[in-house]
Amino acid sequence: MKNNRFVASVLFPGMVFLGIFVMIPILYGLGISLYDYNPANSRNPFLGLANYRRLIRDEVFGKR
């Protein structure tokens, strides 16, 4: 039981760091990708997966 607390106390700061600096930005970026995002504009309409459809159909994206 004492060993489990030690392991948890050692892993906790790393998990917090991972959550704050890795997972939150990834999820935020995925959320923004669903909108017609423009930081200079206060109105950002929801597009859903239209951005991804446009990306797949783009000729330049498919080239190596």
Side-chain angles (χ1 to χ4, degrees), residues 35-46:
Y35 290 86
D36 185 15
Y37 183 72
N38 181 358
N41 190 358
S42 63
R43 186 170 175 267
N44 299 310
F46 181 75

Side-chain angles (χ1 to χ4, degrees), residues 2-64:
K2 189 176 182 181
N3 192 22
N4 290 340
R5 274 191 237 147
F6 173 74
V7 170
S9 68
V10 169
L11 290 177
F12 183 73
M15 295 306 238
V16 170
F17 180 84
L18 184 73
I20 292 173
F21 295 106
V22 176
M23 295 307 294
I24 291 175
I26 288 173
L27 295 175
Y28 184 72
L30 287 173
I32 285 178
S33 72
L34 300 175
Y35 290 86
D36 185 15
Y37 183 72
N38 181 358
N41 190 358
S42 63
R43 186 170 175 267
N44 299 310
F46 181 75
L47 297 177
L49 297 176
N51 284 335
Y52 292 106
R53 281 188 223 116
R54 193 176 82 203
L55 180 68
I56 291 171
R57 293 179 185 143
D58 189 65
E59 295 175 10
V60 177
F61 179 74
K63 291 183 180 179
R64 287 188 176 200

